Amino acid sequence: MTTTEGAPPIKTEGLTKHYGDVKALVDLDLEVNTGEVFGFLGPNGAGKTTTIRSLLHFVFPTSGTATVLGMDVATNAVEIRSRVAYMPSEYSLYPKLTGAENLTYLANLRGGMDKAYVTSLAERLEVDLTRKVSDLSTGNKQKVGLIQAFMSKSELVVLDEPSTGLDPLMQQELQAMIREVRDDGRTVFLSSHSLAEVERVADRVGILRSGHLVVVERVDALKRKAIRRIDLEFDEPVEAAVFEGTDGVRSIEARGNTVVVSFEGSVTALLRTALDHNVVNVNSREADLEQIFLDYYHGNGNDAP
């Protein structure tokens, strides 16, 4: 089944949710594309889970609208839930049932499951589904929850903090599973505060700050726009003033024969200025998603509230 009439898997317009005086989500305008992994970033309390619960109509928005798979979330909640795979950040299972029994019960609510595929997911995640859930560690319970989210091969997979409790090897396996969903033409909405996880799998990211969406951008484009650092080593001391006014330069620090420059955009003008002197060594530090996130979250990015 495909997204209704080619509509985006997720679209919101002015989506707002208040809990009394608390503005959990404010005027969210968001569109997620078919066949992409969309990373939804923000620390706890930023409004990520409120967004997801609003999309699945577990909470009712104060104002604004939202559609999932082309359907209005308020009037088509049941059908939407039948077509969306969802793993919440706080996942509960029936403790007296085994992992397999839990999955069978949940699958029957949706019309059954591919047992061979479930077995393959369990093998990849290294979890024993014959054990009772009460006997499983937190990490293994998380793995059962992940199998539940992936086993239906839904056209939209919504994951809220999915790597909690997983060791690094299992996090890599989860990332591979997410990429496979995208490669199959389906969509993943990945809510997380794990910047490394999002950076490795997401095509685009949205950064949420105190209920406000401050940026939506492709990961590669966002990194190109971010402030980076470059260390320039010369054969003799060079004053910081040499680089003042150079296009893209944001800060300069001279340390003996080394000049440390923070810049954004193209490095061409900076290098031209540097080559007026005898350059001995150049060390460039590429921006990562963590620093970009901190820049936006602390109000240094565009449109930050």
Side-chain angles (χ1 to χ4, degrees):
M1 189 177 293
T2 58
T3 301
T4 303
E5 297 296 330
I10 294 173
K11 184 175 182 179
T12 69
E13 294 181 350
L15 191 64
T16 298
K17 178 61 180 177
H18 296 170
Y19 294 100
D21 294 332
V22 178
K23 298 179 179 179
L25 194 62
V26 182
D27 292 330
L28 178 68
D29 293 330
L30 178 65
E31 185 169 321
V32 175
N33 301 322
T34 300
E36 75 172 343
V37 177
F38 188 91
F40 202 46
L41 289 172
N44 293 334
K48 304 188 306 297
T49 297
T50 294
T51 300
I52 291 174
R53 289 176 177 170
S54 297
L55 292 172
L56 297 175
H57 209 52
F58 295 138
V59 299
F60 304 152
T62 303
S63 61
T65 62
T67 60
V68 172
L69 303 175
M71 297 175 286
D72 181 80
V73 298
T75 57
N76 298 279
V78 174
E79 184 174 356
I80 287 170
R81 292 173 194 166
S82 72
R83 292 171 58 181
V84 174
Y86 169 49
M87 180 174 179
S89 57
E90 297 180 2
Y91 190 75
S92 297
L93 296 162
Y94 293 102
K96 294 183 179 180
L97 300 180
T98 65
E101 288 168 342
N102 269 276
L103 293 173
T104 299
Y105 172 74
L106 294 170
N108 287 340
L109 296 176
R110 301 180 63 121
M113 65 181 180
D114 181 344
K115 292 184 178 180
Y117 183 55
V118 169
T119 298
S120 71
L121 291 175
E123 291 174 350
R124 292 176 65 175
L125 293 172
E126 298 179 4
V127 59
D128 183 359
L129 296 180
T130 66
R131 296 180 63 189
K132 287 185 177 181
V133 166
S134 59
D135 296 331
L136 296 178
S137 66
T138 299
N140 282 324
K141 290 176 184 175
Q142 186 78 356
K143 293 174 185 179
V144 177
L146 287 170
I147 294 172
Q148 174 274 144
F150 283 86
M151 68 182 183
S152 62
K153 300 182 181 179
S154 297
E155 54 203 292
L156 172 61
V157 180
V158 178
L159 304 173
D160 194 358
E161 304 288 355
S163 61
T164 301
L166 300 182
D167 64 42
L169 287 177
M170 290 299 101
Q171 290 177 22
Q172 291 180 12
E173 194 62 49
L174 170 60
Q175 291 159 18
M177 290 162 58
I178 289 172
R179 294 188 193 99
E180 289 166 9
V181 172
R182 177 189 58 197
D183 294 344
D184 195 35
R186 296 180 284 131
T187 307
V188 178
F189 188 80
L190 173 62
S191 174
S192 179
H193 67 264
S194 174
L195 302 171
E197 174 181 55
V198 172
E199 184 171 15
R200 291 187 182 104
V201 298
D203 301 294
R204 290 193 302 149
V205 296
I207 296 177
L208 202 63
R209 177 189 175 204
S210 302
H212 295 262
L213 187 65
V214 295
V215 66
V216 174
E217 187 63 273
R218 287 192 60 84
V219 172
D220 52 0
L222 197 59
K223 291 173 74 171
R224 284 197 300 270
K225 294 178 182 178
I227 295 174
R228 292 168 284 170
R229 282 194 8 167
I230 190 168
D231 300 337
L232 299 165
E233 184 181 350
F234 301 93
D235 64 349
E236 60 183 13
V238 174
E239 294 183 3
V242 168
F243 296 93
E244 291 180 357
T246 303
D247 186 36
V249 170
R250 294 294 173 263
S251 68
I252 314 131
E253 182 182 356
R255 305 171 182 169
N257 289 16
T258 300
V259 176
V260 179
V261 181
S262 296
F263 70 100
E264 61 181 342
S266 173
V267 73
T268 302
L270 173 61
L271 292 179
R272 283 175 178 163
T273 302
L275 290 174
D276 289 337
H277 306 267
N278 189 16
V279 180
V280 176
N281 192 25
V282 177
N283 179 31
S284 177
R285 277 167 275 182
E286 192 71 25
D288 61 18
L289 199 56
E290 180 173 8
Q291 187 56 53
I292 295 168
F293 173 82
L294 292 174
D295 286 342
Y296 273 98
Y297 204 79
H298 290 125
N300 298 324
N302 295 332
D303 302 323

